[in-house]
Amino acid sequence: MAPAAVPIAATASELTVSAMKTDLAKSTKPQLDASKLTYTFNKHGGVVPALDDPIRREHNSSTDHMLTVKWTEKGGWEAPQLRPYGHLDIMPTASCIHYATQAFEGMKAYRGVDGKLRLFRPDLNCKRMNLSSTRIALPPIDPEQLEELVKNFVSVDCPKWLPDPETFIYLRPAVIASGAALGVQKPREATVFIIAVLFPPMEVLNGMRLLASKEDMGVRAWPGGHGWSKVGANYGPTLQAQGEARERGFDQILWLLGSEGRVTEAGASNFFVVWKNKTSGRLELITAPLGDKIILDGVTRRSVIELAKSRLSHNPTEVLKEVQHLEKLDVVEQNYTIDDIAEAYEDGRLVEAFACGTAFFVAPISYIQHEVDKGIEVPMNTTTTDGCKSGAYAAAIKTWLKEIMYGKVSHPWGVVINERGAQ
Amino acid sequence: MAPAAVPIAATASELTVSAMKTDLAKSTKPQLDASKLTYTFNKHGGVVPALDDPIRREHNSSTDHMLTVKWTEKGGWEAPQLRPYGHLDIMPTASCIHYATQAFEGMKAYRGVDGKLRLFRPDLNCKRMNLSSTRIALPPIDPEQLEELVKNFVSVDCPKWLPDPETFIYLRPAVIASGAALGVQKPREATVFIIAVLFPPMEVLNGMRLLASKEDMGVRAWPGGHGWSKVGANYGPTLQAQGEARERGFDQILWLLGSEGRVTEAGASNFFVVWKNKTSGRLELITAPLGDKIILDGVTRRSVIELAKSRLSHNPTEVLKEVQHLEKLDVVEQNYTIDDIAEAYEDGRLVEAFACGTAFFVAPISYIQHEVDKGIEVPMNTTTTDGCKSGAYAAAIKTWLKEIMYGKVSHPWGVVINERGAQ
């Protein structure tokens, strides 16, 4: 399937983006073009709530603007519009509210300690959005143009809506089949939109308590499905079980797969364990692999792996003083089961565990219930500078990510955005 | 989990409806109440297009009205509103366009040869909508009240929009998480709506050509998933493969499951095969079972099974002259594989195959491609009164269903609706 010119080592993402570009080159219809963005500013902007305003906990307060772009099969991409935030006109026959023809991204914009506005690896989100969109039968979305649109959007709204150093705002690019057509078929119209939503400051003080899924609670993803992509269909079906878990005092579900109990994700986050390998005794940071397309290729997941390899492995490319007290480890992307974790716990080989993702960032795990009356008490031996209990590796990685996001260090992952404001 | 008072033989549906009623009884919040329906009639109604108007093929022409009901976790159910058809106000943060928190039903209203308006087993659709809604973390929907609302809606719009005998209009009840809240959590607001959409007359003249799915095309449903419920998340993820199959000259995908190639559904329809059993040599009508919750409990599927048992089996409860030429058969709900069909074809034991569902009704299958250059030519030895090629069993069952739907016979499945019109 791969074009001959693409090197064998290319990742699935790279292959698909490459294929998409070929398609775009062939199309004579107007393409997604960020340079065509038009601006209609909101003259009745809202008031920015304080950081501790409880309204932030509702996750429904948006900023003054949204950005929308319409696509039709016949006409291609229209000019993107930045315009006052408001409702979407969706007809009751729109595919997106019947057939889950929808995909999205989760990103954040960060206000640095230096006062600068940054995005964190926005290229990865935009590439993934393209993959998710095509997985759900929506059009390919040129990642570079989408990234440019995200940058333009935050450049307008963040000067006002993200004033405080070391705070963030959540960004949600999404694509939906917005056309009125009730047939169960590949959509002929779509709308890409970008909004920003206020979140409360989030720190997990004492670690998250996870409930390992049973088969009657559902399965998050499966071989041949779409667990690897950020489509709506991966989320709604998990909420019933999540709601029940919360009523029982857990924060999230640890999604297992198959009768062997393969560990996949925690809630809507990737999941990592630090343990001593049963056979070799070597210290490992382990997470499920991407190869079988069950697991979301998380931007935070990828960053954790890359930082751990470069700073915590036996062959580090960067040597940092502050982790000299931490034992070096192997970074392993490999399938493992809930029984493997339980056994490591019983043997005293379990060191720590954490979930990670854009929304919850790096969240240490304190407990995993895997049988009716049986749980795994996950060690959390460190207290971070912000007063949270954590494992030492999660704490180190979290600190490094924050340094990049909030501009405490200069790093290519932290992309500075010029600010123009709403004028 | 089941309350002790429920008999062991109760079906999953009955159990859940029973549990739901208990929940409703406990709630002190306003419940769904069809008697509170308010009417705001459309004073600028549309023109009904002719039956052969190509606009019907777009599946986006609706009638003059829609019916909406809002639910909130805090306030319970509001009064249902019948009002002019128009767009839904959906905020960009609404859960339904991000997390596939949506479920729906497919029904039809029929204009009989006697001029009367009928629904076909609407109780089954309404019970299933309740199950689908709770599966996707939306509120339970009292099936009896929903049925009453559907009846009220068609009673208003069908006098004008369904004038011709032996025609139908498609009805779409749906429920979506309509509240503005971007958190990945159980929705706190929902909207139920009912609309009617014009379809073109549909007959499959020469049978449908199916492409059996390969693992790289995805999987429709899986154990522990939600294939049994009518949630949006079952549909969007199949459209990419469906689009590719159409480009290759196939009508639908025959969705297989697992390395053994278990036959599940055809497109968004249930699937039946008539063959001679390999071991016993007995004639069988076989379809995949509901027990493992992979398969949609289709209203047409159920009706096919019940009619085949009562009229075509070795112990019929109704004896009909017109099928005396047809050999009696066993009705079997059991897992079978694509290799089983291929083997029956090679042995000369394959008699016919058909898909069935509300949208496509009973659609004979002419061909199934299951290997790159290898296909199964499915026999179609009958021509129906409307000029379509078909297997004889599919033709008989289709005729019986039409007789009930269009009031050619009196039958409890055909529910006559009083008509009031829009005044």
Side-chain angles (χ1 to χ4, degrees):
Chain A
M1 295 288 283
V6 175
I8 288 168
T11 66
S13 315
E14 284 163 350
L15 282 174
T16 311
V17 171
S18 166
M20 190 273 301
K21 285 203 172 161
T22 314
D23 285 351
L24 285 179
K26 275 187 288 190
S27 171
T28 55
K29 288 170 194 157
Q31 297 178 23
L32 181 59
D33 185 348
S35 73
K36 291 186 183 160
L37 179 63
T38 64
Y39 295 82
T40 309
F41 293 117
N42 192 339
K43 289 175 185 161
H44 312 283
V47 175
V48 182
L51 287 174
D52 60 356
D53 192 320
I55 201 171
R56 287 176 179 258
R57 286 189 219 131
E58 303 296 318
H59 301 98
N60 66 0
S61 297
S62 297
T63 57
D64 292 335
H65 299 93
M66 60 185 185
L67 192 152
T68 61
V69 203
K70 201 175 156 187
W71 169 89
T72 63
E73 192 182 65
K74 275 188 186 165
W77 291 95
E78 297 182 1
Q81 300 183 312
L82 187 135
R83 54 190 176 113
Y85 183 80
H87 74 255
L88 298 167
D89 274 351
I90 292 181
M91 292 308 281
T93 48
S95 174
C96 64
I97 57 171
H98 296 275
Y99 309 128
T101 37
Q102 50 184 243
F104 65 92
E105 269 306 317
M107 310 171 68
K108 286 175 176 170
Y110 304 87
R111 177 68 65 190
V113 289
D114 55 358
K116 288 186 181 164
L117 180 65
R118 282 180 182 79
L119 296 174
F120 182 78
R121 310 187 82 177
D123 54 324
L124 297 182
N125 293 99
C126 295
K127 282 179 187 167
R128 190 171 61 186
M129 177 116 155
N130 175 49
L131 297 179
S132 302
S133 183
T134 52
R135 175 62 185 86
I136 203 74
L138 290 167
I141 301 170
D142 185 324
E144 285 167 24
Q145 297 303 313
L146 179 63
E147 186 176 340
E148 201 54 34
L149 290 174
V150 171
K151 287 176 178 171
N152 276 290
F153 173 70
V154 301
S155 165
V156 168
D157 260 4
C158 287
K160 169 177 168 184
W161 287 89
L162 188 60
D164 300 309
E166 292 197 72
T167 64
F168 67 86
I169 193 165
Y170 186 83
L171 303 172
R172 171 58 59 95
V175 57
I176 57 174
S178 50
L182 206 60
V184 179
Q185 63 190 11
K186 206 170 169 177
R188 295 189 187 129
E189 282 184 46
T191 299
V192 168
F193 62 90
I194 304 169
I195 55 171
V197 179
L198 304 182
F199 270 33
M202 275 193 299
E203 293 295 348
V204 181
L205 277 180
N206 291 304
M208 291 212 297
R209 290 166 55 83
L210 302 182
L211 176 64
S213 68
K214 303 281 173 205
E215 200 165 85
D216 62 357
M217 294 159 66
V219 170
R220 183 194 159 273
W222 67 104
H226 37 80
W228 57 275
S229 65
K230 215 157 174 73
V231 297
N234 283 329
Y235 296 83
T238 69
L239 299 181
Q240 183 193 29
Q242 187 213 64
E244 285 166 21
R246 290 209 175 154
E247 279 172 21
R248 291 172 57 191
F250 297 95
D251 296 294
Q252 291 289 352
I253 298 211
L254 182 63
W255 291 105
L256 306 182
L257 178 65
S259 53
E260 74 275 27
R262 262 168 67 183
V263 176
T264 63
E265 298 194 9
S269 303
N270 291 119
F271 184 73
F272 285 81
V273 169
V274 180
W275 67 18
K276 289 214 157 121
N277 182 288
K278 189 184 172 184
T279 314
S280 67
R282 286 169 71 98
L283 192 68
E284 291 179 344
L285 173 68
I286 188 167
T287 195
L290 302 179
D292 45 13
K293 296 186 124 187
I294 301 288
I295 303 290
L296 186 75
D297 181 4
V299 176
T300 316
R301 176 189 181 281
R302 197 187 274 218
S303 305
V304 166
I305 289 172
E306 291 173 19
L307 286 176
K309 282 184 178 171
S310 65
R311 300 181 181 183
L312 294 169
S313 71
H314 296 280
N315 298 306
T317 52
E318 300 175 80
V319 178
L320 285 89
K321 272 189 195 167
E322 73 255 30
V323 289
Q324 283 178 352
H325 64 291
L326 290 177
E327 192 180 337
K328 297 288 181 235
L329 46 70
D330 298 322
V331 180
V332 180
E333 292 177 74
Q334 199 171 286
N335 281 314
Y336 61 106
T337 68
I338 185 69
D339 288 344
D340 293 335
I341 304 180
E343 199 183 344
Y345 170 60
E346 282 156 24
D347 293 353
R349 291 183 285 106
L350 182 62
V351 177
E352 60 178 274
F354 58 91
C356 73
T358 297
F360 282 92
F361 198 29
V362 177
I365 308 299
S366 59
Y367 180 78
I368 306 169
Q369 180 143 326
H370 64 110
E371 290 180 30
V372 178
D373 293 316
K374 212 168 165 184
I376 299 165
E377 304 277 355
V378 186
M380 297 202 299
N381 299 325
T382 302
T383 302
T384 63
T385 49
D386 41 23
C388 300
K389 285 195 171 177
S390 174
Y393 291 96
I397 291 166
K398 191 172 174 178
T399 300
W400 291 332
L401 288 169
K402 278 190 173 177
E403 284 172 356
I404 298 168
M405 290 160 174
Y406 293 115
K408 294 176 188 173
V409 298
S410 174
H411 194 284
W413 294 352
V415 178
V416 175
I417 307 297
N418 292 323
E419 300 181 65
R420 62 166 285 175
Q423 52 192 347
Chain B
M1 294 290 282
V6 175
I8 288 167
T11 66
S13 315
E14 284 163 350
L15 282 174
T16 311
V17 171
S18 165
M20 188 273 302
K21 286 201 173 164
T22 314
D23 285 349
L24 286 179
K26 274 189 288 188
S27 171
T28 55
K29 287 169 195 160
Q31 297 178 22
L32 182 59
D33 186 350
S35 73
K36 289 187 183 159
L37 178 62
T38 63
Y39 295 83
T40 308
F41 293 119
N42 191 339
K43 289 173 184 159
H44 311 281
V47 175
V48 182
L51 287 174
D52 59 357
D53 192 320
I55 201 172
R56 288 177 178 259
R57 285 189 219 132
E58 302 296 318
H59 300 98
N60 66 2
S61 296
S62 297
T63 57
D64 293 334
H65 299 94
M66 61 185 183
L67 192 152
T68 60
V69 203
K70 200 175 156 188
W71 169 88
T72 62
E73 190 182 64
K74 276 190 185 164
W77 291 93
E78 296 182 3
Q81 299 182 314
L82 187 137
R83 56 192 175 110
Y85 182 79
H87 75 254
L88 298 167
D89 275 350
I90 292 180
M91 293 308 282
T93 47
S95 173
C96 65
I97 57 171
H98 297 273
Y99 309 128
T101 39
Q102 49 184 244
F104 66 93
E105 269 305 318
M107 310 171 68
K108 286 175 176 169
Y110 304 88
R111 178 67 66 189
V113 290
D114 55 358
K116 287 185 182 165
L117 180 65
R118 282 180 183 77
L119 296 174
F120 182 78
R121 309 187 82 177
D123 55 324
L124 296 183
N125 292 100
C126 295
K127 281 178 187 164
R128 191 172 60 186
M129 176 116 154
N130 175 51
L131 297 179
S132 302
S133 183
T134 52
R135 175 63 186 86
I136 204 74
L138 290 167
I141 300 170
D142 185 327
E144 287 167 23
Q145 297 302 312
L146 178 63
E147 187 177 340
E148 202 54 35
L149 290 174
V150 171
K151 287 175 177 173
N152 277 290
F153 174 71
V154 300
S155 167
V156 167
D157 260 5
C158 287
K160 169 178 169 184
W161 287 89
L162 188 61
D164 301 309
E166 292 197 71
T167 64
F168 67 86
I169 193 165
Y170 186 82
L171 303 172
R172 171 58 57 95
V175 57
I176 57 174
S178 50
L182 205 62
V184 179
Q185 63 190 11
K186 208 170 168 178
R188 295 189 186 131
E189 282 185 45
T191 298
V192 168
F193 62 90
I194 304 170
I195 56 172
V197 178
L198 304 182
F199 270 35
M202 275 193 299
E203 294 295 349
V204 180
L205 278 181
N206 291 306
M208 291 211 298
R209 291 167 55 82
L210 303 183
L211 176 64
S213 68
K214 304 278 173 207
E215 199 164 86
D216 62 357
M217 295 159 66
V219 172
R220 182 194 160 273
W222 65 101
H226 37 80
W228 58 275
S229 65
K230 217 160 171 71
V231 298
N234 283 329
Y235 296 83
T238 70
L239 299 181
Q240 184 192 30
Q242 188 214 63
E244 285 166 18
R246 289 207 176 155
E247 280 172 20
R248 290 172 58 190
F250 297 95
D251 296 294
Q252 291 289 351
I253 298 213
L254 182 63
W255 290 105
L256 306 182
L257 178 65
S259 54
E260 73 275 28
R262 265 167 67 182
V263 177
T264 62
E265 300 194 8
S269 303
N270 291 119
F271 185 73
F272 285 82
V273 169
V274 181
W275 67 19
K276 290 214 157 123
N277 182 288
K278 187 184 174 185
T279 314
S280 68
R282 288 169 68 99
L283 192 68
E284 290 178 345
L285 173 67
I286 188 166
T287 195
L290 302 180
D292 45 12
K293 299 186 118 183
I294 301 287
I295 304 289
L296 187 74
D297 181 4
V299 176
T300 316
R301 175 189 183 280
R302 197 188 275 219
S303 304
V304 166
I305 289 172
E306 290 174 18
L307 286 175
K309 283 185 177 171
S310 64
R311 300 180 180 184
L312 294 169
S313 71
H314 296 280
N315 299 304
T317 52
E318 300 175 82
V319 178
L320 284 93
K321 272 187 194 167
E322 73 255 30
V323 288
Q324 282 178 352
H325 65 290
L326 290 178
E327 191 181 337
K328 298 287 182 240
L329 48 70
D330 298 321
V331 181
V332 179
E333 292 176 74
Q334 200 170 285
N335 281 314
Y336 61 108
T337 69
I338 186 69
D339 288 343
D340 294 333
I341 305 180
E343 197 182 346
Y345 170 60
E346 282 155 22
D347 295 351
R349 292 182 285 106
L350 182 63
V351 177
E352 60 178 273
F354 59 92
C356 73
T358 296
F360 281 91
F361 198 28
V362 177
I365 307 299
S366 59
Y367 180 77
I368 306 168
Q369 180 143 327
H370 63 110
E371 289 179 31
V372 177
D373 292 317
K374 211 167 167 188
I376 300 165
E377 303 276 354
V378 186
M380 295 202 300
N381 300 326
T382 303
T383 303
T384 63
T385 49
D386 42 22
C388 299
K389 284 196 173 177
S390 175
Y393 291 95
I397 290 167
K398 191 172 174 178
T399 301
W400 292 332
L401 288 169
K402 277 190 174 177
E403 284 172 356
I404 298 168
M405 290 160 174
Y406 292 115
K408 295 175 188 174
V409 297
S410 174
H411 193 286
W413 293 352
V415 178
V416 175
I417 307 297
N418 292 322
E419 300 180 66
R420 62 165 286 175
Q423 52 193 347

